[in-house]
Amino acid sequence: MAQDVHCIIGASGQLGTEMALSLKAAGERVVLMDIKPPTYSGILDLPFERIDVCDAAGLADRIAHHHVNHIHHLAAALSARGEQDPQWAWNLNMKGLLNVLEIAAGALQPMRIFWPSSIAVFGPESGPIAGQEEHRWPATVYGISKNVGEQWCAWYRRNRGVDVRSVRYPGLIGTLAPPGGGTTDYAVEVFDHLDNAEPYSCFLEASERLPMMHMDDAVDAALSIMSAPQEAMRCEEAYNIQAMSFSPEELFVEIRRHVPDFRWTYAPDFRQGIAAGWPDGLDDRMAREDWGWSPTVDLPQLVDTMVRARRFKEPALGAV
Ligand code: SER
């Protein structure tokens, strides 16, 4: 049997970079696609195609050229950036997804797609611990696009036989590439301030708890759901997953255990309003039961890894 060929759309981004490194380390064939070239040195030897995911013909051509049969479609405008440019965010998030789903529906060989949804599908009316079937009325353009995207995935699965798999990611925290325009980004950028004489100024309130996850678990979730048998998937929507929940204050206190002179202040901005509409945690039992979701990194491990990676330039957990 021919080896699978994976393409990562959005490969230069925060999650794409980490996923590319993991697939490469596992000996998989990987093609990187993005509108901007990758920057992390560990993946620069992989083939790269500069492509706009909104360019349907160009995307289809490159996917066929490389005989891709596993698409990881990660390119998206995140929550905070999306609120500042709603039309652009909607176009990128929806057109990109529909282009990928159409390519899979018309492919000559079976295709499998991974497309991440988000905690942003929930809104102010959702409960503090969002169940798999929680009421969803998202309050951001990003959240609306992810919610509708889940429905499009279900439609293509039912009507066009597309094998598309999805999880609702919480905030993702890693070291290889910076996040871009999210509400949970404070939990990454704070680690860049550890050697700063100025206190870190957090754009969320001290007690704003959100679900979070280390990148190693995020990549593991994507690769696990992609390799699970289709019959095991009971969920028509994206699966809830999370690894931990914490507030800024809880994170900063944990960081201070490693960096005793670390100081912080709070200056909440519009992103606090977005975060306030998201749940504190997710009930992810269905993902655990259906395809063995099982996170490994808790808050103390996350902080230990991130402090060392940022301060001493050590590789992230599991990185090669
Ligand atoms: N990390 C994303 C954001 O903050 C949520 O999925 O927008």
Side-chain angles (χ1 to χ4, degrees):
M1 218 170 72
Q3 197 184 2
D4 291 328
V5 182
H6 299 256
C7 99
I8 303 174
I9 302 171
S12 305
Q14 189 201 14
L15 176 58
T17 300
E18 308 257 1
M19 194 178 280
L21 187 64
S22 279
L23 286 169
K24 175 182 148 177
E28 298 286 347
R29 291 179 61 193
V30 195
V31 183
L32 311 182
M33 298 190 187
D34 205 300
I35 202 162
K36 55 184 192 307
T39 51
Y40 176 63
S41 58
I43 57 170
L44 295 181
D45 56 333
L46 296 173
F48 171 69
E49 296 281 359
R50 189 173 206 137
I51 189 90
D52 179 353
V53 71
C54 293
D55 169 11
L59 188 64
D61 176 69
R62 291 297 84 195
I63 284 174
H65 174 83
H66 288 283
H67 305 287
V68 168
N69 66 344
H70 280 52
I71 302 177
H72 306 263
H73 172 37
L74 313 179
L78 294 184
S79 58
R81 177 81 177 84
E83 291 308 283
Q84 289 164 337
D85 202 342
Q87 302 291 330
W88 164 80
W90 180 257
N91 189 52
L92 171 61
N93 292 3
M94 295 321 304
K95 196 162 185 351
L97 175 60
L98 289 172
N99 284 346
V100 169
L101 290 168
E102 268 302 307
I103 289 169
L108 297 175
Q109 61 166 336
M111 283 261 188
R112 191 168 289 182
I113 299 174
F114 175 74
W115 172 78
S117 183
S118 160
I119 52 168
V121 298
F122 301 110
E125 292 160 42
S126 308
I129 304 297
Q132 181 62 50
E133 313 277 334
E134 189 76 29
H135 172 74
R136 301 200 299 274
W137 192 252
T140 60
V141 174
Y142 173 65
I144 300 169
S145 73
K146 290 294 184 185
N147 199 29
V148 174
E150 287 192 23
Q151 291 171 303
W152 271 119
C153 288
W155 188 90
Y156 271 86
R157 222 181 272 124
R158 273 197 309 272
N159 298 304
R160 307 284 298 276
V162 173
D163 182 1
V164 50
R165 299 160 184 226
S166 185
V167 297
R168 293 179 185 140
Y169 276 133
L172 301 183
I173 300 161
T175 50
L176 301 186
T183 299
T184 55
D185 292 5
Y186 87 88
V188 180
E189 67 176 33
V190 62
F191 291 98
D192 286 329
H193 283 256
L194 298 186
D195 295 321
N196 216 316
E198 296 295 309
Y200 172 66
S201 176
C202 180
F203 56 75
L204 297 186
E205 285 173 5
S207 61
E208 184 54 62
R209 271 176 92 79
L210 290 170
M212 298 279 184
M213 186 180 292
H214 185 266
M215 272 297 176
D216 280 4
D217 282 331
V219 171
D220 183 58
L223 302 185
S224 298
I225 197 171
M226 283 293 267
S227 59
Q230 213 173 2
E231 319 78 73
M233 312 279 179
R234 284 177 297 163
C235 184
E236 267 236 291
E237 318 167 304
Y239 281 88
N240 278 2
I241 56 167
Q242 81 157 85
M244 65 193 99
S245 288
F246 56 76
S247 66
E249 189 69 15
E250 287 167 323
L251 175 64
F252 302 157
V253 167
E254 185 65 31
I255 291 175
R256 198 171 51 192
R257 287 160 45 87
H258 297 258
V259 186
D261 54 357
F262 174 57
R263 300 282 176 273
W264 61 92
T265 59
Y266 293 97
D269 64 17
F270 74 101
R271 289 170 282 191
Q272 171 55 35
I274 298 176
W278 291 350
D280 298 356
L282 305 183
D283 177 347
D284 59 9
R285 273 175 297 180
M286 199 181 234
R288 290 171 187 267
E289 286 164 14
D290 284 8
W291 47 274
W293 162 242
S294 176
T296 58
V297 182
D298 61 12
L299 178 59
Q301 282 174 290
L302 173 106
V303 170
D304 185 53
T305 306
M306 291 296 291
V307 167
R308 284 203 268 147
R310 289 294 189 196
R311 299 204 96 183
F312 309 117
K313 307 289 179 244
E314 282 188 8
L317 269 180
V320 290

